[in-house]
Amino acid sequence: MPNPFEPELLIEAHGAVRVVTLNRPEALNATNEALHGALQAVWGHLAQDADARAVVLTGAGRAFSAGGDFEHFVELWDDRPRRRREIDGARRLLTEMVDFPLPVVAAVNGPAVGLGCNLAVLSDIVLIAESAYISDPHVSVGLTAADGGAPTWPLLMSMLRAKEYLLTSERIPAEQAVALGLANRVVPDAELLKQALAVAQKIASLPPQAVQSTKRALNMHIKRAVAGVLEYALSEEFDSFETVEHQALVTSFLQRAKAKATQAKSPS
């Protein structure tokens, strides 16, 4: 099937497995409007691929996904209709992934942050590279953790642990992610994609009706658990874009990044 999501998402066929790659490596695969839209639509597109039986999800370059693009955040501050579309898109993305019939193996090749961590844990099997980590820093940038860990992490780890990591925004190294239940196993960096493909190909070789109906049954637990939480959290995230704290934190980050880039370009 032709890929309508380039350049933001690459889709490569490996037999019955489709490898979907987030493709903004220069921005650590942070989600701007175009990538966010592609991530919402790609699942319906892949579900129409009659030859596909499983998917591997990964990132180009050295990150899985750094979460939301801060420059895009600024665009949302004073444009409430655009921000509403973004929040509605976050709801759609979670729903599309949970309802997607094919098994998804996440190959977390680098930092999986914010929305990136949610993309990982909404997958069905998560392999994480030794050098990678997971983090949901929504709170540290003044946002409600709606499209990150708040709806899903308590289903995967204890409530106390979920509160600790969401309220402090601490990074979770690969080994700890496995211990907590956010990943299945740690894999050497150089072996990650190979092992993710092997898992996906193994599942793709099994009877598709049995695989897909079993996934659907399991995901019913997720759908029932997140429904009310997601609506509340997304409503609060919409409002938190307008807070003084969030805007100051993002402005400070962008100023530091600009100063660092200017310094790097200056002759020594």
Side-chain angles (χ1 to χ4, degrees), residues 103-114:
V104 179
V105 178
V108 181
N109 56 300
V113 178

Side-chain angles (χ1 to χ4, degrees), residues 106-121:
V108 181
N109 56 300
V113 178
L115 176 61
C117 79
N118 212 30
L119 290 171
V121 302

Side-chain angles (χ1 to χ4, degrees), residues 25-102:
E26 74 289 346
L28 301 180
N29 301 317
T31 52
N32 60 2
E33 197 165 20
L35 179 55
H36 201 229
L39 284 166
Q40 295 164 44
V42 70
W43 308 105
H45 173 80
L46 292 170
Q48 299 302 312
D49 186 342
D51 297 321
R53 292 290 181 268
V55 173
V56 170
L57 180 64
T58 194
R62 58 192 181 91
F64 182 74
S65 172
D69 188 309
F70 276 21
E71 291 184 357
H72 181 49
F73 285 175
V74 175
E75 297 170 349
L76 301 176
W77 288 349
D78 297 320
D79 191 337
R80 289 174 65 88
R82 190 176 183 184
R83 194 192 327 154
R84 173 55 59 198
R85 291 194 298 272
E86 188 86 0
I87 294 295
D88 289 345
R91 180 188 299 104
R92 180 189 173 196
L93 175 54
L94 186 146
T95 301
E96 289 285 336
M97 287 194 72
V98 171
D99 287 340
F100 182 58
L102 305 181

